């Protein structure tokens, strides 16, 4: 049994976990940094403790968070996503302090949190991986170059410790390799404190398909179908869909069986996600495993009817997974749109500020996961996510219409948000048809900006002209 959970996170995911605690009649504890004093998670939690004045370091202060958990007699910690969620040392510290870490064991996080080690382990267990470098230790520039010649360009360089779309460089020709390698290493060191870089073949125009996994402490593991996360900008997800509208039931079954085998191979427990790339010929490759709850988990909840946070908590408390693979029958379609505080017309730079009028979309089949409210000031220190809008319906056509309807209804005044850009996505033919790959946003950028109807668009014409010129240059250089 778990009696009290400390949530080592902020914003919408902290709110989401607090709500699950309430549903389960478990006491909950929020932590917050000084700039987050007015954030919704602090207001709605049973108890809240300040973890320092430093905006970022507060949520990364593992020692202090464990101390608070001990002092307020919390018997478990939920790490959310980002921050300490994939930090095996933090999970270990919780284990050593006798506090339940709501996630997999620290040893699994250590192995699967490093993309290069995970690739190696998966390959050893017969799971298909993208062709690429095959050494476990750090790769030198010369080794990378040799491998690139062997597998052929384009290639993609990745930070072993990377995440959130950071530490990734696509290289189209040999002349670009060395500078990409250096800048990838620099970014990896500054963001992840680990400059290890490896390389994969760059799969052209793939779909990003990921499977949600749940496993208990007794070896029972199932998947909860897939999400299509191909709508990305700069390797970061904008829109996620469950199930994937462009794969057959047979292919779903094949990849699903592989995903469960991958999780079993490492003795995975709790919730996790296995990400795959799917090429034009339906070849699929393991890309990485996220050993935590994901931002886009609500779409899976909506089509399967399984509350993933409640399951995480129960599994961590030692419950047996009372779901079998045959119990998981997806119903209809769900889409999540990430609404962020960004200025579309200034290359999507974060745009913090104070929210004026605020009316979230409502109505049948609409869910909003957020921590914002009228009068809330978005601090500049964190991820620019304002709200996740999740809609569900019986068919893909209906769910896209509903997404468009809900986005048009959603009002967040006085700060710039990506709502008008997201509405533009719902107007594009390829999106509406349900067949798109990870190049969708880049390929359609000009059309998307033209269709973005924003009250603040003083430099719209210039931005569109600049995008058109850049796209033309890229096309020419690749011909
Ligand atoms: P998801 O796969 O759940 O969609 P994202 O890749 O969008 O997750 O990342 C979720 C959050 O976690 C983002 O705020 C991102 O910046 C952060 N994040 C992801 N991986 C890491 C990492 N290795 N280190 C630090 N932050 C990370
Ligand atoms: P992160 O931890 O930042 O999420 P991932 O390894 O999951 O990093 O990659 C992020 C995105 O980059 C993927 O969703 C995909 O669009 C793209 N990507 C990654 N590896 C490849 C590859 N080998 N070929 C083509 N695209 C890739
Ligand atoms: Mg990923």
């Amino acid at each position: 049994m778990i009696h009290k959970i400390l949530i080592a996170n902020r914003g919408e995911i902290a709110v989401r976990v607090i709500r699950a605690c309430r549903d389960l009649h478990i006491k909950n504890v929020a932590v917050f940094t000084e700039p987050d004093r007015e954030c919704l998670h602090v207001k709605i939690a049973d108890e809240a403790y300040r973890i320092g004045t430093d905006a970022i370091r507060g949520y990364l202060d593992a020692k202090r968070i464990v101390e608070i958990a001990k002092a307020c007699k919390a018997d478990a910690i939920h790490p959310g996503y980002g921050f300490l969620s994939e930090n095996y040392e933090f999970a270990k510290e919780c284990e050593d302090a006798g506090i339940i870490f709501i996630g997999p064991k620290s040893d699994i996080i250590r192995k699967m949190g490093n993309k290069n080690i995970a690739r190696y382990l998966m390959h050893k267990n017969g799971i298909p991986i993208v062709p690429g470098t095959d050494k476990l230790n750090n790769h030198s520039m010369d080794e990378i170059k040799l491998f690139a010649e062997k597998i052929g360009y384009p290639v993609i360089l990745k930070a072993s410790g990377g995440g959130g779309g950071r530490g990734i460089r696509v290289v189209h020709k040999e002349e670009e390799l060395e500078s990409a390698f250096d800048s990838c290493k620099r970014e990896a060191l500054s963001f992840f404190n680990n400059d290890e870089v490896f390389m994969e073949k760059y799969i052209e125009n793939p779909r990003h398909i990921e499977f949600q996994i749940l496993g208990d402490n007794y070896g029972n593991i199932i998947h909860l179908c897939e999400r299509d996360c191909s709508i990305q900008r700069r390797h970061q997800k904008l829109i996620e869909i469950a199930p994937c509208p462009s794969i057959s039931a047979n292919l779903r079954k094949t990849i699903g069986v592989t995903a469960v085998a991958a999780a079993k191979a490492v003795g995975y427990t709790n919730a996790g996600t296995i990400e795959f790339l799917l090429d034009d010929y339906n070849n699929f490759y393991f890309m990485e495993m996220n050993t935590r709850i994901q931002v886009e988990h609500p779409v899976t909840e909506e089509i399967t009817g399984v509350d993933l946070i409640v399951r995480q908590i129960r599994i961590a408390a030692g419950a047996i997974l009372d779901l079998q693979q045959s119990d998981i029958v997806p119903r209809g379609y769900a889409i999540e749109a990430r609404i962020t505080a960004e200025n579309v017309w200034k290359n999507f730079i974060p745009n913090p500020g104070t929210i004026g009028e605020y009316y979230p979309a409502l109505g049948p089949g609409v869910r909003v996961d957020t921590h914002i409210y009228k009068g809330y000031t978005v601090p500049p220190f964190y991820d620019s996510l304002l709200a996740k809008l999740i809609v569900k319906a019986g068919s893909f056509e209906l769910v896209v219409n509903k997404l468009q309807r809900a986005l048009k209804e959603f009002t967040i005044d006085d700060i710039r948000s990506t709502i008008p850009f997201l509405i533009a996505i719902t107007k594009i033919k390829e999106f509406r048809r349900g067949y798109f790959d990870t190049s969708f946003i880049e390929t359609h950028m000009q059309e998307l900006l033209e269709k973005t109807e924003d009250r603040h668009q003083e430099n719209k014409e210039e931005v569109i002209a600049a995008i058109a010129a850049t796209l033309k240059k890229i096309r020419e250089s690749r011909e």
Side-chain angles (χ1 to χ4, degrees), residues 418-438:
T418 46
I419 291 176
F421 185 76
L422 293 166
I423 294 173
I425 296 178
T426 67
K427 293 181 179 167
I428 305 268
K429 192 171 76 236
E430 284 80 356
F431 181 74
R432 301 189 61 84
R433 273 211 315 252
Y435 201 102
F436 35 76
D437 57 52
T438 58

Side-chain angles (χ1 to χ4, degrees), residues 115 130 156 158 162-166 168 200-204 206 208 229 232 235 237 275 277 287-288 290 438:
K115 290 181 202 239
V130 187
I156 182 166
K158 292 194 196 178
R166 294 244 158 71
I168 291 181
E200 288 175 355
K201 175 85 187 155
Y202 181 65
I203 312 279
E204 306 245 23
H208 171 124
C229 308
Q232 306 180 348
H235 311 298
K237 300 160 186 167
E275 297 188 340
L277 285 177
M287 185 162 51
E288 67 159 340
N290 291 133
T438 58

Side-chain angles (χ1 to χ4, degrees), residues 81-82 161-164 192 237 275 290 292 294-296 338 383:
Y81 55 71
F192 312 113
K237 300 160 186 167
E275 297 188 340
N290 291 133
R292 55 171 162 89
Q294 276 188 279
V295 175
E296 58 273 25
R338 299 190 189 193
D383 202 282

Side-chain angles (χ1 to χ4, degrees), residues 108-163:
I108 292 180
I109 303 178
R110 186 175 57 79
K111 289 180 194 152
M112 301 307 276
N114 181 304
K115 290 181 202 239
N116 199 29
I117 300 179
R119 260 171 73 77
Y120 173 83
L121 285 176
M122 289 298 116
H123 182 59
K124 229 177 60 179
N125 283 285
I127 309 294
I129 59 169
V130 187
T133 47
D134 55 7
K135 264 178 43 178
L136 260 185
N137 44 345
N138 212 349
H139 294 85
S140 67
M141 176 59 206
D142 287 343
E143 286 167 330
I144 293 267
K145 199 167 181 173
L146 224 64
F147 255 102
E149 276 163 25
K150 208 163 100 184
I151 59 177
Y153 289 87
V155 295
I156 182 166
L157 298 170
K158 292 194 196 178
S160 305

Side-chain angles (χ1 to χ4, degrees), residues 385-454:
L385 186 70
L386 290 172
K388 305 190 305 201
L389 171 63
I390 304 110
V391 292
K392 72 165 169 183
S395 70
F396 190 67
E397 188 187 355
L398 250 184
V399 84
V400 173
N401 289 350
K402 200 184 278 270
L403 177 65
Q404 189 178 83
R405 183 273 280 173
L407 283 165
K408 285 181 174 168
E409 229 177 86
F410 211 122
T411 305
I412 307 176
D413 275 351
D414 293 2
I415 63 169
R416 286 161 189 259
S417 84
T418 46
I419 291 176
F421 185 76
L422 293 166
I423 294 173
I425 296 178
T426 67
K427 293 181 179 167
I428 305 268
K429 192 171 76 236
E430 284 80 356
F431 181 74
R432 301 189 61 84
R433 273 211 315 252
Y435 201 102
F436 35 76
D437 57 52
T438 58
S439 69
F440 175 88
I441 296 287
E442 199 190 335
T443 315
H444 293 276
M445 195 45 123
Q446 189 178 342
E447 196 183 344
L448 282 166
L449 292 177
E450 280 162 3
K451 288 189 156 62
T452 299
E453 289 171 30
D454 199 340

